[in-house]
Amino acid sequence: HVQLVESGGGSVQAGGNLRLSCVVSGLPYDGGCLGWFRQAPGKKRMGVAGIDRDGRTIYADSVKGRFTISKDNAKNTLYLQMNSLEPEDTAMYYCAARALCGLPTLNVYAYNYWGQGTQVTVS
């Protein structure tokens, strides 16, 4: 039974920082291929950042230089450090895992398992 549980969302003012966490269980967690996505009301879910087994990363252009994805294999936890937040970053944020690993990707269809989401609101 695969489970991903996000935490760390909240409300911040523009320019503020937040760190999201996602505890992953039920996968043969060898570091895995994981990602963060977000979905604003009325918009499609879009990839924010992805990371592969070897720690290689990929970011959406809109968050490059502001967000950092990382993972702690010992804790089975994925992180998203979000700095210099903007109102446009307001969305529900989801972590996701891939059943088949490969190069990091922001393609939503490459991910098989999803968390329930955590809300980030920037005003």
Side-chain angles (χ1 to χ4, degrees), residues 28-83:
Y29 198 87
D30 58 352
C33 285
L34 307 169
W36 287 100
F37 291 77
R38 67 186 183 189
Q39 188 168 17
K43 294 189 177 181
K44 292 182 179 179
R45 190 169 298 188
M46 62 163 282
V48 174
I51 190 167
D52 72 2
R53 278 197 182 96
D54 298 322
R56 289 174 293 197
T57 58
I58 187 171
Y59 295 94
D61 287 343
S62 58
V63 306
K64 280 180 183 176
R66 300 188 298 123
F67 290 12
T68 302
I69 188 171
S70 62
K71 57 184 177 177
D72 184 332
N73 293 344
K75 295 182 179 180
N76 286 0
T77 302
L78 177 72
Y79 301 101
L80 184 68
Q81 178 66 44
M82 306 186 294
N83 297 334

